[in-house]
Amino acid sequence: MEMRKLGRTDLFTAPIVFGGNVFGWTADEKTSYALLDAFFDAGFNTIDTADVYSRWVPGNKGGDSEEIIGKWLKQSRVARDKAIVITKVGSEMGPGKKGLKADYILQAVEDSLKRLQTDYIDLYLSHWPDPETPHEESLGAYAKLKEQGKIRHVGCSNLNAEQLQASFDAAAKAGLPRYDVLQPEYNLYERASFEGPLADLCVKEDIGVITYFSLAAGFLTGKYRNKADTEGRARENRVAAYLNDKGFRILAALDTIAAETKSTPADVALAWLLRKRGVTAPIASATSLSQLDALINSAKLSLSDEAMGLLDKAGE
């Protein structure tokens, strides 16, 4: 298994990161354990989650994904130091529980550690920009947590190039740890927000990049071809936004390359990301062992320049 270094950190991740947003949502506890067992048995080593997963589900309170991961870590045969655990802070967890104020970060990390049943978090991310909080305040809280050994590395999600550069400037000026990993939305359909200035900055500053919505909420797996395919599905509203001429062009290109390489559209979509400039590893979810096979296979698939060109053109 090829291991990829996450920016300037000492973390090495396998080419695919498991997206834990499904735990406690579209994958129950038993299924989640089976998926994680199979994922690590295949040589992969990184799980991504957030404190807010999956608060949007009726009956859930947030922290559901972290709790499942924590229980799995305790009963798993995988040693804690062989698993990279990524979680995030900043999304709303209830009244007064939101944002990147120092006091809130220091409390939220304790809650995450308790749910994860671990002494430390390998990579802790600011989930969203917080315009009301200076970068120095948030980074100062992270510095304290690093000194205490409660987190190993710091990253961010959903920052644009200007915001990310401002965070670097603030860190340098105040002598604080900077964000070393970025988690942007990036896939064959949604390219504009990462390609260009943000990707350039990540390459220049040696930032590890782990992409989310790597399969466009499942659209790039090819299982949603029309509105009827989405009806009643957990991601119905999200997927519906891709059912247009651009989306159909992308699916056609994925089908072509999948046939040529004897793989699946999901394999191809993830393999495309793995060859894109600046990307370390895409995040992808699975809710069944058959879906997990596609994630595993994508790490072994090498796309030709011709295939990359066809896919690039389809998603322009």
Side-chain angles (χ1 to χ4, degrees):
M1 178 69 68
E2 173 205 10
M3 291 292 166
R4 296 180 162 206
K5 193 168 187 288
L6 266 174
R8 297 182 187 178
T9 75
D10 61 0
L11 301 175
F12 286 81
T13 181
I16 304 293
V17 174
F18 198 105
N21 61 318
V22 296
F23 301 149
W25 176 27
T26 49
D28 61 19
E29 195 167 296
K30 182 180 178 181
T31 302
S32 300
Y33 292 169
L35 291 167
L36 286 168
D37 285 341
F39 187 70
F40 277 78
D41 285 347
F44 296 83
N45 67 329
T46 306
I47 315 164
D48 174 82
T49 188
D51 55 5
V52 75
Y53 298 164
S54 48
R55 192 168 181 265
W56 58 85
V57 179
N60 284 8
K61 60 188 180 303
D64 310 86
S65 173
E66 288 182 331
E67 286 180 353
I68 287 175
I69 292 168
K71 291 176 185 175
W72 176 79
L73 285 169
K74 278 299 180 186
Q75 58 86 47
S76 171
R77 57 185 176 274
V78 176
R80 175 64 186 90
D81 63 353
K82 301 301 181 185
I84 295 175
V85 177
I86 305 168
T87 193
K88 313 178 195 73
V89 60
S91 292
E92 185 172 357
M93 290 290 284
K97 294 183 175 182
K98 180 182 179 181
L100 300 175
K101 297 288 187 188
D103 288 348
Y104 179 62
I105 289 173
L106 297 175
Q107 177 55 56
V109 76
E110 298 297 339
D111 295 338
S112 286
L113 288 168
K114 184 177 179 180
R115 289 187 291 259
L116 289 164
Q117 299 189 53
T118 185
D119 296 329
Y120 65 93
I121 292 163
D122 298 281
L123 177 58
Y124 201 38
L125 305 184
S126 295
H127 204 161
W128 298 94
D130 180 359
E132 297 179 2
T133 306
H135 290 298
E136 293 88 346
E137 179 175 347
S138 305
L139 294 173
Y142 294 135
K144 187 177 294 185
L145 293 174
K146 287 187 74 172
E147 290 168 6
Q148 295 171 348
K150 293 178 179 178
I151 64 174
R152 293 177 62 196
H153 300 285
V154 187
C156 58
S157 184
N158 298 299
L159 268 63
N160 61 29
E162 183 179 354
Q163 292 165 329
L164 187 58
Q165 183 62 61
S167 77
F168 294 156
D169 295 343
K173 185 176 181 179
L176 294 167
R178 70 167 199 173
Y179 293 131
D180 278 321
V181 176
L182 174 71
Q183 188 175 126
E185 179 178 359
Y186 184 45
N187 56 56
L188 257 171
Y189 189 102
E190 175 49 62
R191 292 167 56 181
S193 61
F194 179 68
E195 292 180 0
L198 186 55
D200 292 344
L201 181 59
C202 289
V203 171
K204 176 188 173 186
E205 295 290 340
D206 193 13
I207 299 299
V209 175
I210 48 176
T211 61
Y212 77 88
F213 278 149
S214 305
L215 292 174
F219 174 73
L220 298 176
T221 66
K223 66 181 178 181
Y224 304 109
R225 303 280 177 161
N226 53 58
K227 193 173 187 300
D229 291 338
T230 70
E231 290 174 355
R233 299 297 186 105
R235 305 185 183 194
E236 178 179 354
N237 293 334
R238 180 81 195 188
V239 173
Y242 304 121
L243 296 173
N244 51 42
D245 289 345
K246 177 180 176 179
F248 298 140
R249 284 199 312 271
I250 291 170
L251 288 183
L254 287 171
D255 289 340
T256 298
I257 305 303
E260 291 176 356
T261 57
K262 296 181 173 58
S263 58
T264 69
D267 293 342
V268 175
L270 293 173
W272 176 84
L273 278 169
L274 283 167
R275 277 202 59 184
K276 295 307 286 186
R277 176 173 174 268
V279 173
T280 308
I283 300 166
S285 302
T287 56
S288 67
L289 293 176
S290 60
Q291 289 180 7
L292 183 63
D293 286 340
L295 306 191
I296 293 170
N297 291 336
S298 67
K300 307 171 188 174
L301 178 61
S302 179
L303 297 180
S304 66
D305 291 343
E306 291 76 16
M308 291 294 293
L310 180 66
L311 293 165
D312 283 342
K313 185 176 180 180
E316 285 178 349

